Amino acid sequence: MHGLALRASVIQRDKPIITLISVQTSTELITFFGRLHPLIVHFPLSLLWVVFLLEVISWRQSSQQYKPAIHLMLWVVSISALLAVAFGLILSNQDDYAGSTVVWHQWSGIATLVLAALALLAFKADETKSYRALLILSVFGVSFAGHYGAMLTHGDDYLSSALNPEMTKDSIAVAPKIDVKKLQGDINVDQKEALAIEARSILTKHCTNCHGAKKVKGKLRLDELKYVLKGGENGDALIIGHPEKSDIIHRIKLPASHDDAMPTKGKRLTKAEVEVLETWIKQGAPWPNSPNTTRPLALPEEKEKDIAVSNDLPTGPVPAAFQEGENALASPAVQILNTNQVDELNIKVRTILAHNCYSCHNATKTKGKLRLDKKEFLFKGGENGPILVAGNPEKSDMIRRVKLPEGHDDAMPTKGKRLTKEDIALLEFWIKQGAPWPTGPEKSLYRVAALEPRLPNLPSANSQVQQPIDLFVDQYFKKNKIAWKKPVDDATYIRRVYLDVQGLLPNPQAIQNFISDKRANKRELLVQSLLSDNSAYAQHWFSFWNDALRNDYSGTGYITGGRFGISKWLYGSLKNNKPYDQFVKELISPNKESEGFIKGIKWRGTINSSQSTEMQAAQNVAQVFLGLNLKCASCHDSFISDWKLDDAYAFANVFADQTLEIHKCDLPTGRMAGRGVLYNSLGKIKETPITADRLVQLADILVQKKNGRLYRTLVNRVWAQLMGRGIVEPVDVMDNEPWSQDLLDYLAYDFANNGSDMKRLMFQILTSKTYQLPTVGFKEVSMLTASNYVFKGMTKRRLTAEQFADAVSQSFFPLYSDSALAVKMLPADIKKEIPFARAALVKNDPFLTALGRPNRETVSTSRTSQANLLQALELTNGVKFNYTLNTGAKIWVAKYSSSDALVNALYRQALGRNPSSREMELAIRYLGKKPSIEGVQDFVWAITLLPEFQLII
């Protein structure tokens, strides 16, 4: 077994402290002792826990050996607790602590003192039961007191913020960063509000820990305007209109070493923050939601002129005519909007409502009798009355509720993310304009990708790029000002393409031959050679299609006859490179070998109506072949698209032997479903009571060349498998915008009109200059699906579970024996076609699950490439992996008598190269001149964890 050496590096900072205490009065001496409280308080806190642990050990071992130590420590605890309480009471009076937190801290500390003293007395009297009970209460008491002490020092969310990082976010809204240069002279009401919010956030960040409701140092509070204006024991903190005369500005500008400098601890204010506070005082120290920030101010003439001539509604939250400077808030003035502007504003407002409000206020769920999904219901209001007053956002209950702090009883939304400041500003602007709503049919809130195929014009070739893929990427690079990088070297390319086509590592000789090959077209020849190995190709891509078609060798339904495998059909289809249109037809209108996909899983027991086999077929066909999510719409009208419940049931009804009754949220509606193919422009299903006949029609309709969505979806999936990220992402949401519409459309059109040949498509991608670019890494997985994603090359990927297992089997020792193969589910001659028991052909197990192989009870069209804790634990302590390493190590030690020969062979097999002199030196230092089984096992384990082994780069 392997051990992980975890080094804890403790960095001690040298802090030469010269403490000069000049005690001139008894008051100063008392203050000094009070401030010893934080030092003394840690003695009872830590020692009580030590006593408790020693007592537990004594009880478990029935031993008295720790009794003298416990006795001594109880004395120290009692004395230190007495001192801590005394010094704490002094400190609370000297440093102006206030509020319920300090009261709880004081009384729990006093209780701990009493309990610890009683525990000592009970211990001395040999009253074991009483002593132990008092000791436990003392431990609880000191922990309770310590918790409230931490709240005083570090804030109320000291513990909770560690468990929930979202709670560390400031509960006070922070204004956008503002340009103080734009806030000189007369400023409007919204600019004052922005300035007020920014100033308050700065005070909250730097000052209220010592000058807030919990702690009132110097009798000065800075958490509310009335206290700010009141000042502290040293007088006024600020002089309205005069930052240069304000004590608060004077103190924050002092050097950190000065006695009067503020803040006394933590980070100093930045220059920009100081400038904001100076501007804030100069503008009258406005405070959010106070009267002096809400009185209407007239707009300057120039601004009124700008408003009058505004014609366009920008993509930002509010029209540019209502912005003063780059980051200022919107003006409340009214602008006359034209029809296009009304339409655009309406879509933006409905989008905000759809993403934040529809889940509770829609036709299915009408919380508070309020619906927000239709104009008539929105203006009607709910059980509490109207939610908006057209022209008056400040009187609209909708605005009041979305502005309330999270946790408030009336705050909306009650769950999920809060609305952004930009969203709220746009809603206010919309209401201010009179809450305009266009007449006629409403435009869709959601992007809907074009269904029909499209052949874009090829950009002109040049000396650098000629291949169609590269021409479109070159066009994209020029638009985004990205320079082409040098292609990867031969060693990197051969490893990359071997893994992508066959899922295997190239052997050392193949690498050497490829590097030595001087032919200009050797990369194209290599790809052709790999694709022509039909068995190896099928074995690798088998895993991808098993995931997508939720085909497996064991699991739910197989034993009870509620699920059927398609492994033999699928393997044969891949091996023979069956045209994709035929591939799809045989899955939708299946024969006996391929019927398992649309038959789905017959779940045992009571199931939700959306889990019926007919609905499963509709969901899975839509997801796999059309990149469309129908799961939401199979229960109720979708919140994330325009698909309706009736659409989902009409499609599911195509697969049904009997007409389906529509169920809404699992409740029968009494309505019977119609029949349809989702996209009416593709054709209609002719009525027939024979399901098989309907499926033939459906298959023919879906594979038509005019169904561009079918072919775009497949092209996008293959691109994502080979490049690490789809042209459209996520790959199951094909209505999302692609980073290159022209590239996607070209590849799909070319694919559909050239025999739907998947190997031909792969050849195009694998031989492109684009595929040969260096890989690109991302710090966060979310960056891959971000709206501002920019393509720069292949995404760095981790080997899949099957690729990793096969790489270990190839380079060291087989992870699986032939007996692990799912032979009953596979072609009869499968053993003759494989070099070893490949992981794609064995049943799932804890090792493969940990490395990312799904259980395949649902469609899975992509796997995460991010490492996780379960994977680390399995590779460190997993039984199968460690058994393989140990068994292989015995064979390698018997084969290689010297460590240098073994290291050379292992590097060549696993990494396709010889070790560097430094790597050889380190390996020999660890293994010694003669390798041992344990040493080789650990060494191979280390090799398999290298990024060079685990990643496709």
Side-chain angles (χ1 to χ4, degrees):
M1 303 295 286
H2 304 293
L4 288 178
L6 302 178
R7 302 177 185 173
S9 299
V10 180
I11 301 175
Q12 297 180 337
R13 299 180 182 175
D14 295 325
K15 291 186 176 180
I17 302 174
I18 302 175
T19 308
L20 301 176
I21 306 174
S22 176
V23 183
Q24 298 177 351
T25 66
S26 59
T27 303
E28 291 174 340
L29 183 61
I30 291 172
T31 302
F32 170 73
F33 281 119
R35 293 182 182 179
L36 289 177
H37 171 74
L39 173 65
I40 300 298
V41 78
H42 290 88
F43 281 94
L45 181 63
S46 56
L47 289 179
L48 267 174
W49 274 101
V50 174
V51 170
F52 177 75
L53 292 174
L54 289 177
E55 190 59 38
V56 171
I57 294 170
S58 299
W59 171 67
R60 292 292 300 272
Q61 297 180 352
S62 299
S63 170
Q64 299 293 316
Q65 61 177 321
Y66 300 113
K67 195 168 183 179
I70 291 173
H71 187 206
L72 175 61
M73 281 189 281
L74 282 172
W75 272 108
V76 175
V77 165
S78 300
I79 295 170
S80 59
L82 177 62
L83 293 173
V85 167
F87 293 160
L89 290 171
I90 294 171
L91 181 64
S92 66
N93 290 318
Q94 292 295 320
D95 271 3
D96 295 310
Y97 286 88
S100 60
T101 302
V102 72
V103 173
W104 279 106
H105 179 59
Q106 286 175 343
W107 283 108
S108 56
I110 293 170
T112 301
L113 167 61
V114 174
L115 291 168
L118 291 174
L120 173 60
L121 293 175
F123 180 88
K124 293 181 68 176
D126 283 329
E127 295 287 342
T128 305
K129 289 185 178 179
S130 298
Y131 152 68
R132 286 177 175 169
L134 288 165
L135 177 61
I136 292 172
L137 290 173
S138 300
V139 169
F140 276 109
V142 78
S143 301
F144 199 74
H147 170 62
Y148 277 94
M151 287 171 63
L152 283 171
T153 306
H154 302 289
D156 289 352
D157 64 347
Y158 182 55
L159 284 180
S160 57
S161 63
L163 299 175
N164 183 8
E166 285 297 313
M167 295 180 68
T168 64
K169 295 180 179 178
D170 194 343
S171 61
I172 298 174
V174 178
K177 290 193 177 296
I178 53 181
D179 184 354
V180 294
K181 294 178 182 178
K182 304 284 186 179
L183 300 177
Q184 305 304 316
D186 291 336
I187 61 175
N188 64 37
V189 60
D190 293 295
Q191 289 174 313
K192 281 203 172 188
E193 181 72 2
L195 179 60
I197 293 173
E198 187 72 357
R200 182 179 62 177
S201 71
I202 293 170
L203 295 175
T204 301
K205 177 182 176 183
H206 293 284
C207 308
T208 55
N209 274 347
C210 292
H211 302 286
K214 306 296 184 184
K215 183 178 179 181
V216 194
K217 196 170 182 179
K219 298 181 180 178
L220 172 65
R221 284 180 60 176
L222 297 174
D223 56 325
E224 292 183 31
L225 182 62
K226 60 183 179 181
Y227 298 119
V228 175
L229 298 176
K230 179 182 177 182
E233 64 184 7
N234 293 323
D236 294 334
L238 59 85
I239 306 297
I240 296 291
H242 297 280
E244 71 280 3
K245 297 179 181 179
S246 299
D247 193 53
I248 190 172
I249 300 298
H250 167 68
R251 287 176 177 262
I252 62 178
K253 283 187 170 183
L254 289 172
S257 58
H258 197 285
D259 289 343
D260 292 337
M262 294 294 172
T264 55
K265 57 184 178 181
K267 290 184 178 180
R268 304 283 292 163
L269 275 70
T270 65
K271 181 180 178 182
E273 288 173 328
V274 174
E275 288 177 348
V276 168
L277 291 182
E278 288 179 316
T279 305
W280 171 64
I281 295 171
K282 198 169 185 178
Q283 290 290 350
W287 198 259
N289 300 321
S290 65
N292 64 335
T293 63
T294 57
R295 65 177 184 269
L297 295 178
L299 288 172
E301 262 183 46
E302 295 79 9
K303 184 55 57 181
E304 290 178 358
K305 182 179 178 181
D306 287 343
I307 292 169
V309 299
S310 176
N311 293 316
D312 299 319
L313 188 67
T315 57
V318 292
F322 295 96
Q323 295 181 345
E324 195 169 305
E326 185 180 348
N327 296 305
L329 296 179
S331 165
V334 178
Q335 176 187 2
I336 297 175
L337 305 179
N338 60 38
T339 302
N340 291 335
Q341 289 173 324
V342 170
D343 286 346
E344 186 177 350
L345 178 60
N346 174 257
I347 288 175
K348 288 178 179 290
V349 168
R350 286 167 54 215
T351 300
I352 293 171
L353 298 178
H355 286 291
N356 297 282
C357 310
Y358 281 7
S359 59
C360 292
H361 302 287
N362 63 85
T364 302
K365 183 178 181 181
T366 314
K367 196 171 181 180
K369 297 181 181 179
L370 173 65
R371 281 182 61 178
L372 298 175
D373 56 332
K374 295 291 182 182
K375 175 184 178 180
E376 57 270 27
F377 300 119
L378 190 148
F379 283 89
K380 178 183 177 183
E383 63 185 6
N384 294 322
I387 63 165
L388 63 85
V389 178
N392 292 285
E394 63 276 6
K395 294 182 181 179
S396 298
D397 195 48
M398 169 192 282
I399 300 301
R400 180 186 73 86
R401 287 174 177 265
V402 298
K403 281 186 169 182
L404 287 171
E406 188 174 3
H408 194 287
D409 289 344
D410 290 343
M412 294 294 170
T414 55
K415 56 186 177 181
K417 291 184 178 180
R418 305 286 291 157
L419 271 69
T420 65
K421 288 172 295 182
E422 291 78 13
D423 288 343
I424 294 172
L426 192 139
L427 290 177
E428 289 180 311
F429 173 76
W430 171 66
I431 295 173
K432 191 71 180 177
Q433 307 312 307
W437 204 280
T439 56
E442 292 179 349
K443 291 184 178 180
S444 173
L445 300 178
Y446 310 100
R447 182 183 188 274
V448 179
L451 184 68
E452 64 278 359
R454 169 178 169 263
L455 179 61
N457 294 325
L458 272 175
S460 301
N462 56 60
S463 59
Q464 299 297 317
V465 290
Q466 292 84 35
Q467 205 239 44
I469 290 175
D470 297 332
L471 292 175
F472 286 112
V473 172
D474 185 57
Q475 186 181 58
Y476 174 85
F477 277 0
K478 288 176 179 176
K479 179 181 176 181
N480 289 277
K481 299 178 181 179
I482 299 170
W484 282 92
K485 293 183 179 178
K486 185 179 178 182
V488 295
D489 59 33
D490 286 342
T492 301
Y493 181 78
I494 188 174
R495 184 179 187 274
R496 182 186 288 184
V497 78
Y498 256 86
L499 286 166
D500 279 338
V501 175
Q502 299 185 353
L504 299 171
L505 296 176
N507 64 61
Q509 190 58 53
I511 296 173
Q512 189 57 48
N513 291 343
F514 183 69
I515 293 174
S516 302
D517 193 340
K518 302 301 181 184
R519 290 176 293 181
N521 65 339
K522 66 178 182 181
R523 296 193 176 189
E524 289 81 357
L525 295 173
L526 172 65
V527 174
Q528 284 178 345
S529 172
L530 294 175
L531 288 171
S532 65
D533 188 339
N534 297 325
S535 296
Y537 163 82
Q539 290 153 23
H540 171 55
W541 282 86
F542 202 43
S543 291
F544 168 76
W545 284 107
N546 274 337
D547 289 357
L549 302 176
R550 69 178 195 178
N551 178 61
D552 216 336
Y553 313 121
S554 62
T556 303
Y558 283 114
I559 296 176
T560 61
R563 185 179 180 186
F564 305 94
I566 60 171
S567 298
K568 292 179 181 179
W569 173 87
L570 178 57
Y571 186 85
S573 297
L574 293 173
K575 184 178 177 181
N576 297 321
N577 193 31
K578 185 171 289 179
Y580 185 64
D581 53 354
Q582 185 64 28
F583 182 89
V584 172
K585 288 177 72 171
E586 291 180 18
L587 285 167
I588 294 176
S589 176
N591 55 36
K592 195 68 178 175
E593 277 195 327
S594 62
E595 67 179 357
F597 174 62
I598 63 165
K599 281 188 174 293
I601 301 175
K602 290 183 180 179
W603 301 101
R604 300 178 68 182
T606 304
I607 62 167
N608 187 294
S609 56
S610 64
Q611 294 177 310
S612 67
T613 53
E614 298 87 357
M615 190 58 78
Q616 287 181 51
Q619 293 171 355
N620 296 340
V621 168
Q623 182 178 351
V624 175
F625 301 126
L626 300 174
L628 177 63
N629 185 349
L630 278 186
K631 291 178 182 176
C632 190
S634 64
C635 187
H636 49 73
D637 289 351
S638 177
F639 302 143
I640 58 174
S641 69
D642 288 324
W643 293 106
K644 306 300 182 186
L645 180 65
D646 287 1
D647 299 325
Y649 266 90
F651 193 43
N653 209 22
V654 176
F655 301 90
D657 293 328
Q658 295 182 334
T659 302
L660 300 175
E661 180 184 3
I662 296 174
H663 284 64
K664 184 176 183 179
C665 295
D666 211 29
L667 297 175
T669 64
R671 296 189 298 114
M672 307 308 287
R675 284 198 176 96
V677 295
L678 296 177
Y679 297 98
N680 293 330
S681 61
L682 293 177
K684 294 184 178 180
I685 300 287
K686 295 178 182 178
E687 281 300 325
T688 171
I690 303 172
T691 304
D693 290 348
R694 291 197 300 273
L695 296 181
V696 170
Q697 294 182 61
L698 176 62
D700 288 338
I701 288 172
L702 289 184
V703 300
Q704 295 174 97
K705 289 181 181 178
K706 71 176 184 178
N707 182 9
R709 189 175 184 116
L710 177 81
Y711 300 104
R712 288 188 187 97
T713 301
L714 183 279
V715 163
N716 191 57
R717 293 199 190 285
V718 173
W719 182 279
Q721 286 298 113
L722 298 177
M723 302 295 291
R725 199 255 191 210
I727 301 173
V728 175
E729 197 68 30
V731 292
D732 289 333
V733 189
M734 286 300 293
D735 285 315
N736 281 354
E737 190 169 1
W739 59 260
S740 174
Q741 186 71 61
D742 284 349
L743 175 60
L744 178 65
D745 288 349
Y746 175 84
L747 286 175
Y749 187 95
D750 182 74
F751 175 70
N753 286 275
N754 283 280
S756 301
D757 186 336
M758 285 191 276
K759 285 189 176 181
R760 180 180 178 276
L761 170 65
M762 291 181 195
F763 180 85
Q764 288 177 293
I765 298 172
L766 295 168
T767 57
S768 69
K769 186 177 178 181
T770 303
Y771 177 84
Q772 298 172 52
L773 287 170
T775 54
V776 179
F778 292 87
K779 292 181 179 180
E780 299 290 340
V781 176
S782 59
M783 296 172 71
L784 287 171
T785 55
S787 59
N788 61 348
Y789 168 83
V790 176
F791 175 79
K792 295 181 181 179
M794 176 190 293
T795 300
K796 196 171 290 184
R797 293 168 282 153
R798 190 173 299 277
L799 298 180
T800 65
E802 293 85 353
Q803 286 174 323
F804 182 86
D806 288 351
V808 172
S809 296
Q810 273 186 279
S811 58
F812 187 62
F813 186 78
L815 265 164
Y816 298 97
S817 63
D818 286 354
S819 62
L821 293 169
V823 289
K824 293 183 180 179
M825 308 286 284
L826 298 166
D829 58 349
I830 190 66
K831 288 186 179 181
K832 297 178 182 178
E833 298 186 8
I834 55 176
F836 52 85
R838 296 196 62 176
L841 309 177
V842 305
K843 294 179 181 179
N844 207 354
D845 61 16
F847 177 77
L848 293 173
T849 298
L851 268 65
R853 179 158 148 180
N855 65 17
R856 293 171 177 161
E857 289 183 358
T858 58
V859 167
S860 179
T861 54
S862 60
R863 299 186 189 179
T864 179
S865 187
Q866 193 172 31
N868 55 54
L869 179 60
L870 178 61
Q871 185 180 105
L873 292 173
E874 186 67 30
L875 293 178
T876 303
N877 296 312
V879 174
K880 175 169 288 295
F881 191 48
N882 278 282
Y883 174 79
T884 299
L885 295 182
N886 182 265
T887 306
K890 294 174 183 177
I891 296 173
W892 277 67
V893 167
K895 183 176 180 180
Y896 295 97
S897 58
S898 66
S899 293
D900 56 350
L902 183 147
V903 172
N904 269 315
L906 181 60
Y907 264 80
R908 285 172 58 80
Q909 289 293 120
L911 305 178
R913 63 176 178 84
N914 290 320
S916 67
S917 57
R918 177 60 176 163
E919 288 169 333
M920 178 62 79
E921 179 187 344
L922 291 172
I924 298 301
R925 186 187 303 173
Y926 179 76
L927 293 171
K929 292 184 178 180
K930 186 174 178 61
S932 65
I933 293 173
E934 184 179 351
V936 171
Q937 181 179 352
D938 285 344
F939 184 67
V940 174
W941 174 76
I943 290 289
T944 61
L945 296 189
L946 289 174
E948 188 178 352
F949 185 86
Q950 289 207 356
L951 301 180
I952 298 177
I953 54 177

